[in-house]
Amino acid sequence: MKKTFAFIAAMAALLLFAPATYAQADSVKTAVIKVTNLHCNNDMPTIKKRLLNNDGIDEVTYSGINGETSVFTIVYHTSVTSQEQIEKAIETTPGCDDKNSTPYRVRKENGRKKKAHE
């Protein structure tokens, strides 16, 4: 009987503490992403709204348009989303004038996308 009780207690402890072992570590990162093909002042708020509707994104700020480019600064949780997912959300955001188009593009630096900053 003692062996059965010890086994049940061990299994219960394992089940209670196992999820913490496998939980993905969360960290908050800041991504700085240049977005091109912006043509009017409504483009940036359109992208910001789209990003804020995604889980794991806490804050989105942007610069004004410089040519056809703006710089977005996104604060996000790595356990919920990634910079790649954020970039995909930007590039699949419908245009503010034509909801059937997806004009926005993430600018790649030296053939590579910019990395997130801690």
Side-chain angles (χ1 to χ4, degrees):
M1 187 67 150
K2 287 182 182 179
K3 287 182 180 179
T4 303
F5 178 74
F7 177 74
I8 291 171
M11 292 305 292
L14 182 64
L15 290 174
L16 287 174
F17 297 109
T21 305
Y22 295 108
Q24 183 177 0
D26 184 35
S27 64
V28 177
K29 288 194 175 183
T30 301
V32 178
I33 300 173
K34 290 182 181 179
V35 180
T36 62
N37 288 345
L38 304 169
H39 300 287
C40 71
N41 288 329
N42 291 329
D43 290 330
M44 287 92 59
T46 299
I47 293 169
K48 178 179 179 174
K49 182 178 178 181
R50 170 80 175 238
L51 290 174
L52 288 173
N53 284 328
N54 288 301
D55 291 335
I57 297 179
D58 289 340
E59 183 180 340
V60 177
T61 58
Y62 52 84
S63 67
I65 297 176
N66 183 6
E68 292 184 355
T69 303
S70 182
V71 177
F72 284 77
T73 303
I74 302 110
V75 177
Y76 67 98
H77 292 266
T78 60
S79 65
V80 181
T81 193
S82 66
Q83 182 163 341
E84 290 76 21
Q85 290 171 314
I86 292 168
E87 291 172 354
K88 184 175 180 180
I90 291 170
E91 291 189 342
T92 59
T93 300
C96 65
D97 291 332
D98 180 4
K99 301 299 181 196
N100 294 319
S101 70
T102 53
Y104 313 120
R105 295 292 170 254
V106 172
R107 175 187 251 169
K108 297 170 177 53
E109 300 293 325
N110 298 326
R112 301 177 75 178
K113 294 181 181 178
K114 291 193 89 160
K115 292 185 178 182
H117 303 300
E118 304 261 351

